[in-house]
Amino acid sequence: MHVSAGIVTFLFGLYLIMLLAVTLLKKENAIRFFSSFASSAKAHYLEQALRLLSGFALLNYAPEMLYPTLFLYFGWLLIGVSLLLFLTPWKRHHAYGEWAIPFVLAHIYLYSAAAAALGAFILWCLLNPLF
């Protein structure tokens, strides 16, 4: 379980970095990806399940990382927001997405760069204690 949590945390950090790579290489694919958030009930619940998985992995693996308290709080934040969104009807989440996604798309490079910076920080804090 503990190794699995480390792998999921690694993949979460890598995913955040890949958002920037996709945005830089194939902006139209990134736009399509961001526009698909909460586009259906299935997408809504899949997003929340993946966030919950990442949050629980962070909680489990945080003690092995640099700044463990920070990652414990971040894990709980991911879990809390995901549970709140699980309880929110997807149509409401979709309506919020229709309002918020244009802001993300207007600043897609900034958003992707911030996500990549967070992903790089996660990977650095995960891998640094191993070496």
Side-chain angles (χ1 to χ4, degrees), residues 35-90:
S35 298
S36 71
F37 286 3
S39 59
S40 68
K42 182 179 176 181
H44 167 74
Y45 291 113
L46 178 61
E47 287 172 40
Q48 302 327 308
L50 292 173
R51 285 182 187 171
L52 276 173
L53 179 65
S54 298
F56 282 117
L58 278 167
L59 280 183
N60 188 278
Y61 205 77
E64 307 301 323
M65 298 173 68
L66 293 180
Y67 313 110
T69 304
L70 175 69
F71 287 105
L72 283 172
Y73 286 129
F74 186 51
W76 280 117
L77 178 68
L78 271 176
I79 291 167
V81 169
S82 300
L83 288 175
L84 182 65
L85 285 170
F86 252 123
L87 299 174
T88 302
W90 84 266

Side-chain angles (χ1 to χ4, degrees), residues 110-123:
L110 180 62
Y111 182 84
S112 298
L118 176 60
F121 180 69
I122 290 169
L123 292 182

